[in-house]
Amino acid sequence: MPGSDNQDDDRRRAADKLFAQNWQFFRGVPSLEFLPPADRPEIAFAGRSNVGKSSLINALLNRKSLARTSNTPGRTQELNFFLTETADFYLVDMPGYGFAKAPKTKVDAWTDLIKDYLRGRPTLRRVYVLIDARHGIKPVDETIFALLDEAAAIYQIVLTKIDKIKPPAVAHVIAQTEAALKPHAAAFPEIIATSSEKNLGLDDLRLSVFEAIV
Ligand code: GTP
Ligand code: MG
């Protein structure tokens, strides 16, 4: 229908405009007492260490290195808050869960921070849980899904690094992930397949974020 196509174009344009703004790093939060007040909508990017959270944020914002990335799992060690020019909402880059090249006590502290934040942030509109398209959902991801289900936090799965596998393999992992999500009430049914490296799926993700916060 032409009408709905126009509406879709308008929403995509508005989403592009939001991401074309000059985004700034706002604050690194090493523990909950440093969280900014919950006074505006926010969305967060979660996922196993090294899945590509920080890279995806840079790709979404068209910035090379606003969020710091690394080959070594465990690069992001705090909840990093980014803010739009117009300061109307936060985007949060999270430390990874699961394996990280860091002492166990540190990893345990990040995991507690991640869980406490995901459970208790009233202004969190949607959590994007990133899954490496090569590896699919792992048991540690399931523990995060369970936590989000229990907290009734809305979450959506984003596959990352799809440039590393062939299109039929992408289709296969999408189908597998959809099936695995069926029992999870709080999960969004639509899965977004992305590559930060090749700029794939970014417009769909921008639109999703836009719709989550407006
Ligand atoms: P932590 O902060 O350690 O939890 O990691 P992260 O999830 O933020 O991952 P990060 O963005 O630092 O990326 C980890 C590695 O994956 C880096 O070497 C990136 O260059 C690489 N990477 C990220 N996204 C992509 C992608 O879409 N394609 C490919 N080929 N590599 C990617
Ligand atoms: Mg990171």
Side-chain angles (χ1 to χ4, degrees), residues 47-56 58 67-77 93-97 99-100 110 130 134 160-164 194-199:
R48 293 171 67 224
S49 302
N50 210 45
V51 69
K53 299 173 291 296
S54 303
S55 302
L56 190 61
N58 288 331
R68 290 177 67 194
T69 65
S70 159
N71 272 323
T72 313
R75 155 54 65 204
T76 308
Q77 308 202 344
D93 187 13
M94 300 183 72
Y97 51 77
F99 173 79
W110 298 336
L130 275 50
R134 296 169 300 174
T160 60
K161 309 190 188 184
I162 62 164
D163 58 285
K164 293 228 183 199
T194 66
S195 162
S196 306
E197 192 93 358
K198 302 274 184 233
N199 285 343

Side-chain angles (χ1 to χ4, degrees), residues 60-97:
L60 283 174
L61 303 181
N62 294 306
R63 299 282 289 270
K64 281 227 151 43
S65 51
L66 186 63
R68 290 177 67 194
T69 65
S70 159
N71 272 323
T72 313
R75 155 54 65 204
T76 308
Q77 308 202 344
E78 301 182 334
L79 298 172
N80 284 332
F81 280 68
F82 299 91
L83 192 56
T84 45
E85 218 170 318
T86 45
D88 41 13
F89 94 99
Y90 291 122
L91 193 155
V92 184
D93 187 13
M94 300 183 72
Y97 51 77

Side-chain angles (χ1 to χ4, degrees), residues 28-39:
V29 172
S31 61
L32 289 186
E33 68 260 37
F34 296 101
L35 277 173
D39 58 1

